[in-house]
Amino acid sequence: MQKSVRYNEGHALYLSVVARKEGTKRGYLSKKTTENSRWAEKYFALYQNVLFYFENDQSARPSGIYLLEGCTCERAPASKVSAISKDAIEKQQYYFMVNFGHDGQKPLEMRTEDELDCNEWVGGIQQASYSGIIIERDILMQRYIHLDQIMETEKVATNQLRTQLEDQDTEIERLKAEITVLNKAKERMQSHQNNQDEEDPDIKKIKMVQSFMRGWLCRRKWKIIVQDYICSPHAESMRKRNHIVFNMVEAETEYVQQLSILVNCFLRPLRMAASSKKPPIRHDDVSSIFLNSETIMFLHEIFHQGLKARIANWPTLVLADLFDILLPMLNIYQEFVRNHQYSLQVLANCKQNRDFDKLLKQYESNAACEGRMLETFLTYPMLQIPRYIRTLHELLAHTPHEHVERKSLEFAKSKLEELSKMIHDEVSDTENIRKNLAIERMIVEGCDILLDTSQTFVRQGELLSLYFMLYQVMLFQFLISLLILIVCGQVLSSIYHPAVNGVFSVRCAWALSH
């Protein structure tokens, strides 16, 4: 049986050297000895969760080591006057005590002459915990992941802006070329007008009248063309298409606002609450409830900015390239929808905690929530992909077959329908297994057949209805057979003797009565 604890003395000496050079707190303190309860001045150095003390600040080896993990430190009242020396009476002393969590280990009593120095030592020892460093590391890691997601989003936005700048540079070059051509045409027109100034005044008047008539005829013809186009089915279809796009932008604005409320009013405050000293909810439960909702918000913020940029270029509305960017990233919805039922179950379990329920009601009372509960905001992403499918279906209904975006919109609609079907199948399978297990629990003696996940839940109801249906079917078959017997009896009565007919009629009457 092991009677002593081994430790690496070389490692301890190395840590003492580091503590003297880079320690959190260093300086002289008076330490109360356990043998004779006398005060001895030592040089102390605090490094992480280890406290070293030396005979003086020039000592190479420490005189002792204290492991501060799990200890408490607090200010202590002054000792009795009878136990204070003359030097202590002349100078004001400030005491503090370190209580260790180990059985049989006496508390460490120390004092200093400066109150500020005493408070700094107490604060440093209270924070000397390896578990606190681990918690701080987890918080920093979460912030790093959040910043990394923001960086990825910014990269995507940067690539889009770079593409837009290149398109604008091309457009600028094209406009410069058109301006050059127009300047040359203007110079030719000016030279032609200068030549016409020398013409006869009557000819000028005739040309002016002809020009006025040609202009009037052209304007009249153009007015008729415009009016015919405004009343045409194509123009009506384009107006409906633009109206659908405007409604889509409004719906996307509202959806981004809902996701922003979900993240800013619920997710981030609950993460901070989970990092408190007495957390009402764990970080794992926060991740299970919200999953990747923050990533969904970043994705739709980029998509919303692209939609607003397209509206700025109205009446030229090009949406296919936005859906080309959005489609590869919509697989995150598959994970969110698959986790939705579980997230609501975890939320219901967490609400049984009174502290969490009180905190959640406080968040839901925010004016931005407009009286809506957290479950409502968690349901909004479930409806987004069907909304996109319905919008694309309406767009295609008002988009001509020769339109430049027709094929791209049809491709986006097909991809969204495939993703929606895949999500629906997964949710249906999960719901089917859940219903089978629920029915299996309702059976008192148990049933192994229902544990087969390949079976599909069809209907649940009372078995008496089935018996009643079988009884009706059997009665109907009996009546048909009896009717056939009566018809056969009538036929036989016309052929054989009336006495036989009488006997047969009596038997049929007896069968009908029974």
Side-chain angles (χ1 to χ4, degrees), residues 160 303 310 318-330 405 407-413 415:
Q160 292 180 353
F303 184 67
R310 297 301 188 275
V318 180
L319 304 175
D321 56 342
L322 284 178
F323 281 100
D324 291 340
I325 298 174
L326 183 66
L327 284 175
M329 303 180 185
L330 286 181
E405 287 191 307
K407 292 184 179 179
S408 299
L409 293 177
E410 287 178 349
F411 176 76
K413 177 175 171 291
K415 288 296 182 182

Side-chain angles (χ1 to χ4, degrees), residues 217-329:
L217 291 173
C218 288
R219 286 192 297 273
R220 182 180 178 184
K221 185 176 181 180
W222 178 249
K223 183 178 180 180
I224 295 172
I225 293 173
V226 171
Q227 290 178 351
D228 292 342
Y229 177 74
I230 291 174
C231 300
S232 64
H234 183 271
E236 182 66 22
S237 178
M238 288 298 101
R239 283 193 293 271
K240 291 182 179 179
R241 186 176 187 272
N242 293 337
H243 182 69
I244 292 170
V245 174
F246 295 151
N247 290 339
M248 178 181 178
V249 176
E250 294 177 359
E252 191 68 22
T253 303
E254 183 180 358
Y255 181 58
V256 171
Q257 184 179 2
Q258 292 166 355
L259 291 177
S260 178
I261 294 173
L262 176 63
V263 173
N264 296 325
C265 296
F266 293 99
L267 172 57
R268 292 173 181 172
L270 287 177
R271 280 180 179 171
M272 298 299 294
S275 302
S276 60
K277 292 184 179 180
K278 294 181 179 180
I281 187 173
R282 298 180 299 133
H283 282 287
D284 294 339
D285 293 336
V286 174
S287 300
S288 299
I289 293 172
F290 295 94
L291 201 62
N292 53 1
S293 56
E294 193 170 11
T295 307
I296 294 176
M297 183 191 72
F298 292 147
L299 171 63
H300 283 278
E301 283 180 348
I302 298 173
F303 184 67
H304 182 238
Q305 293 295 330
L307 281 178
K308 291 196 296 185
R310 297 301 188 275
I311 294 298
N313 295 327
W314 188 86
T316 304
L317 292 176
V318 180
L319 304 175
D321 56 342
L322 284 178
F323 281 100
D324 291 340
I325 298 174
L326 183 66
L327 284 175
M329 303 180 185

Side-chain angles (χ1 to χ4, degrees), residues 74-287:
E74 56 185 7
R75 293 282 299 272
S79 303
K80 295 181 179 180
V81 178
S82 60
I84 303 176
S85 62
K86 294 181 179 180
D87 295 337
I89 295 174
E90 295 176 357
K91 298 180 181 180
Q92 181 69 27
Q93 301 290 337
Y94 300 93
Y95 297 82
F96 63 94
M97 181 181 297
V98 180
N99 295 314
F100 299 93
H102 311 292
D103 296 336
Q105 187 171 2
K106 296 182 178 181
L108 177 63
E109 300 182 22
M110 290 185 287
R111 71 184 183 184
T112 179
E113 298 177 358
D114 188 4
E115 184 178 4
L116 179 62
D117 192 23
C118 179
N119 293 332
E120 290 178 354
W121 275 104
V122 171
I125 294 174
Q126 288 177 350
Q127 296 177 358
S129 174
Y130 180 75
S131 60
I133 296 175
I134 293 299
I135 294 174
E136 185 177 359
R137 173 185 172 275
D138 294 337
I139 295 173
L140 293 176
M141 182 60 67
Q142 292 178 2
R143 292 179 180 175
Y144 169 75
I145 294 172
H146 176 63
L147 293 175
D148 185 54
Q149 292 176 351
I150 293 176
M151 287 294 296
E152 292 296 331
T153 306
E154 291 295 332
K155 287 180 181 179
V156 176
T158 302
N159 293 331
Q160 292 180 353
L161 291 175
R162 186 179 293 110
T163 304
Q164 292 179 2
L165 289 175
E166 292 176 356
D167 296 339
Q168 290 178 358
D169 290 338
T170 306
E171 185 68 17
I172 289 171
E173 293 296 332
R174 186 183 65 81
L175 292 175
K176 286 182 179 179
E178 290 182 0
I179 291 172
T180 303
V181 173
L182 291 174
N183 288 333
K184 292 180 179 179
K186 184 178 180 180
E187 292 176 357
R188 289 195 300 268
M189 291 292 295
Q190 288 178 353
S191 61
H192 182 67
Q193 288 178 358
N194 292 330
N195 295 328
Q196 287 181 348
D197 292 339
E198 300 175 358
E199 294 178 353
D200 187 23
D202 295 334
I203 296 176
K204 289 182 178 180
K205 292 179 181 179
I206 294 172
K207 288 183 177 179
M208 188 180 297
V209 173
Q210 290 178 349
S211 176
F212 174 77
M213 291 300 296
R214 283 196 298 267
W216 180 78
L217 291 173
C218 288
R219 286 192 297 273
R220 182 180 178 184
K221 185 176 181 180
W222 178 249
K223 183 178 180 180
I224 295 172
I225 293 173
V226 171
Q227 290 178 351
D228 292 342
Y229 177 74
I230 291 174
C231 300
S232 64
H234 183 271
E236 182 66 22
S237 178
M238 288 298 101
R239 283 193 293 271
K240 291 182 179 179
R241 186 176 187 272
N242 293 337
H243 182 69
I244 292 170
V245 174
F246 295 151
N247 290 339
M248 178 181 178
V249 176
E250 294 177 359
E252 191 68 22
T253 303
E254 183 180 358
Y255 181 58
V256 171
Q257 184 179 2
Q258 292 166 355
L259 291 177
S260 178
I261 294 173
L262 176 63
V263 173
N264 296 325
C265 296
F266 293 99
L267 172 57
R268 292 173 181 172
L270 287 177
R271 280 180 179 171
M272 298 299 294
S275 302
S276 60
K277 292 184 179 180
K278 294 181 179 180
I281 187 173
R282 298 180 299 133
H283 282 287
D284 294 339
D285 293 336
V286 174
S287 300

Side-chain angles (χ1 to χ4, degrees), residues 38-71:
R38 298 182 61 184
W39 294 92
E41 189 175 24
K42 304 290 183 180
Y43 183 77
F44 284 82
L46 176 62
Y47 180 72
Q48 293 182 355
N49 60 347
V50 182
L51 180 64
F52 299 90
Y53 66 91
F54 307 83
E55 292 296 330
N56 51 51
D57 58 351
Q58 302 297 329
S59 300
R61 297 174 62 89
S63 300
I65 302 173
Y66 293 102
L67 182 63
L68 302 178
E69 186 67 31
C71 71

